[in-house]
Structure formats: C-alpha cells, structure tokens
Amino acid sequence: MTGDTTNQLPLADLHTAAGARFGAFAGWNMPLTYPAGVMKEHLHTREHVGLFDISHMKLFVVSGPGAADLINRACPLDAAALEFKQSKYTFFLTETAGIVDDLIITRLGDERFMVVANAGNAAADEAHLRALAKDFDASVEPLDRVFVAIQGPEAAAVIEKAGIATDQLFFMQGFEPRADWFMSRSGYTGEDGFEIGLPEADARELLGKLLADERAMWIGLAARDSLRLEAGLCLHGNDITPDTNPVSAGLMWAIPKDLRAEGKFIGAAALAKILAVGATEKRVGLKPEGRQPVRSGAELFDAEGNPAGRVTSGGFGPSAGHPVAMGYVSTPLAKAGTRLFADVRGTKVPVDVHALPFTPHRYRKG
C-alpha cells in the first residue's frame, strides 16, 4: 500500500525493472524481495555481494567551529577525539537515557562530521540537532543523496572492478572520495561492506557497473532483516527504543569509559544511575527449538510460567540454519543456555538464551 504520504526511492524504477515486490517501511515504499526470494538473497550476500538501496536513511553534515561540542552534547561521544575518517556507532538519548535513535558519526575534517540516521527518525533527528545547534557555532545540513550499501565477502573486489578504490578504508572508517560523495566501510549484515552516498546521476552510472558484475545482485529489506538479525545487530523501533537504554541493550561498548562518569551529553545523569544500580533486563540472543520462528512481540516465560521477558526481533536464519531471535529477559535469566518459553498464539515454544551473534562477523579491520 502506498499513499500520498509514502516516500518513493529515487531509484524506484530500477527496483521495479528488477522485479521487486514493494512494501511500506518507515514511511518509505521499499523493495522487500526480488524474484530470487529472501533465502537466496540472504545466502548470496553471505557468499558473494548484495546491493541494498538504503536511500531511506538520512545523511547530515554537521560543521562549524562548534560541531564537535554539538555532537558531544547530543551523543555520548568524544567527537574531538575521533581521528579523521574514523566512524563511531553512537546514539541520541532522552533525559532518562532512552535510545531516541542509533547513528554512525564519521569525522570528515577539523570541523566537519557526517551523521547517518535511521529513516523513521530522520525528521525528528534533524529537528533535535537543529534545536541543540542554536547553542553552538555549528550548522546542520541534510544531504539529498542516493545511498547504497554493497555487502558481502566479494564487496571490495566488485567495487574495485567498477573503478572505485577501497584500499583507503578499513572497518568503521569513512571519507569523501570526490565532491558530493560519501563512502564508508561498515555494514549491517556482519559481512565486509561499503556504503556510498552520491548524487542520483552518479548512482545510476555506478549501479550499472555493479549490476553488470555477476557476483552482485539486488537484495530486499526482508533479507536485510535476516542478515542483521543473525549478526546480532539492533533494529531501532524493535530492539532499541526510547524505552530501552544502552545498559540493558548491551551497547555500553559504544560509550567511552571516561564519559560514563563525566559526560555532559543528554541523559548522562540517568545513564550513570542505571549503571550504578544495574540493568533489570538484558538484550540476548534467543534460539527457538525446532523450525518454527518466534516473532517480535512474543512474550517470554520461565519454566514456572512467570513472565521473563519479550521477543523484539525474530525470524529464520538461513545461514544459521535455524530460527533466530533477539529480545530482553530479566537479568538473572540472561545467561546462555537458559531455557525459556515463548507464547506463540497460545502455544509455549521452548527457546534457549543464545550468545550473539548467531553467525560470526567478517569485517575487514586491517
């Protein structure tokens, strides 16, 4: 269903020509699957290269003498300590330390940073940054770019064949290789991969070259979800929300230790309090017994039938070869191997707490 309020991707015609089946996601009409189907798309990305149109996500440039100070106020991050080209995973938090959005921020220059935000939060994120920027000598500029992710073990080879050098980047780095282009090396699949933001005309030319390579194929949102779930990566709105905090979510690795005590970011006091007391629940991997997936929203119970937590993401893991899920369980139950039960339409499905990720990460770190 697409109404007047649904955004269309700039390259929608390419996806239609490729046989995409579309659906609504975060206010956008997105390709969900292509004729190959979610299983083959998923496995192709793990074995070769998947191309993802992520133009629904938003790129902002934050620049000016006060850019680092603005980011430090908005996020639990020491922006001035980032090296040029260094990317960091971080968040916007509420005053109660809830996760408003998760972001990747890259230092592009002395006073220039790139912020990559999620589609569903893009408008709110921009308003939030602009409101905070009034207190700093900094500007916030949303970019109008096509944004493409190229993911998989052969990603670097395919991009290089298309004429773009990749040797300047390792995992969690980004830069501007030419005017109006942004290129990073991170990935939401657990595989090595790149993200390129570029003008539409350049994107069409680049994709023509990439798709001419038999190792590369379009991958839809359904396989993007199963890939990131196997990799144990959070989806904002499901696994992390304004009602969850970085301690419960197991994301404190993203917050520098000195900032936990002395940070001036929004939510710092609340986060320090949660750390002092300890989280009441923890995000964990969940492996259902048998072949039936356990979906987001399913309630979890312990062996005695007491409420134990909830599933926030779930589906089948084609590479893992079994159903995979993530969710929150009360802290005493958050040990790998703990047997719980998920309520699936009145049936109690056995579910074991499982270490994350379900499939190993294969990022290119050096």
Side-chain angles (χ1 to χ4, degrees), residues 149-314:
I150 302 109
Q151 300 280 302
E154 296 176 328
V158 167
I159 291 176
E160 282 166 6
K161 188 181 176 187
I164 296 172
T166 66
D167 57 357
Q168 299 178 67
L169 293 177
F170 288 112
F171 179 61
M172 292 305 280
Q173 291 185 327
F175 75 129
E176 295 172 297
R178 57 189 83 168
D180 297 326
W181 282 46
F182 170 68
M183 181 171 167
S184 58
R185 192 169 193 166
S186 57
Y188 195 48
T189 58
E191 300 295 330
D192 183 26
F194 300 82
E195 301 78 34
I196 304 178
L198 68 177
E200 183 181 333
D202 291 354
R204 289 178 180 274
E205 183 184 349
L206 174 61
L207 283 162
K209 293 175 184 173
L210 294 174
L211 289 163
D213 192 316
E214 63 184 13
R215 294 170 290 183
M217 65 184 267
W218 281 122
I219 309 295
L221 210 61
R224 183 170 165 85
D225 194 53
S226 57
L227 288 158
R228 68 92 194 166
L229 183 50
E230 283 186 345
L233 302 173
C234 294
L235 174 63
H236 194 274
N238 283 49
D239 311 299
I240 46 177
T241 73
D243 294 322
T244 52
N245 62 71
V247 186
S248 297
L251 298 174
M252 288 304 295
W253 56 266
I255 303 180
K257 284 192 170 62
D258 55 338
L259 289 188
R260 297 175 195 181
E262 299 161 16
K264 301 290 189 287
F265 56 89
I266 294 167
L271 189 65
K273 201 170 180 180
I274 295 164
L275 273 171
V277 175
T280 58
E281 59 178 15
K282 292 277 178 72
R283 178 173 64 93
V284 296
L286 299 163
K287 181 185 176 185
E289 196 173 75
R291 305 290 288 176
Q292 182 183 6
V294 171
R295 306 284 180 185
S296 171
E299 296 293 328
L300 296 170
F301 298 87
D302 67 14
E304 281 74 51
N306 302 305
R310 65 199 182 280
V311 177
T312 53
S313 285

Side-chain angles (χ1 to χ4, degrees), residues 31-52:
L32 302 181
T33 57
Y34 295 86
V38 62
M39 183 77 84
K40 284 183 179 171
E41 291 173 37
H42 177 114
L43 295 173
H44 188 90
T45 305
R46 289 263 183 259
E47 293 160 13
H48 303 289
V49 180
L51 302 180
F52 303 78

Side-chain angles (χ1 to χ4, degrees), residues 306-330:
N306 302 305
R310 65 199 182 280
V311 177
T312 53
S313 285
F316 189 78
S319 304
H322 56 74
V324 292
M326 270 198 292
Y328 286 81
V329 302
S330 55

Side-chain angles (χ1 to χ4, degrees), residues 58-87:
K58 197 64 193 174
L59 298 168
F60 302 97
V61 171
V62 177
S63 59
D69 290 335
L70 167 59
I71 290 169
N72 292 350
R73 175 64 183 142
C75 306
L77 184 68
D78 185 354
L82 293 181
E83 297 173 10
F84 293 157
K85 299 205 314 192
Q86 186 180 358
S87 303

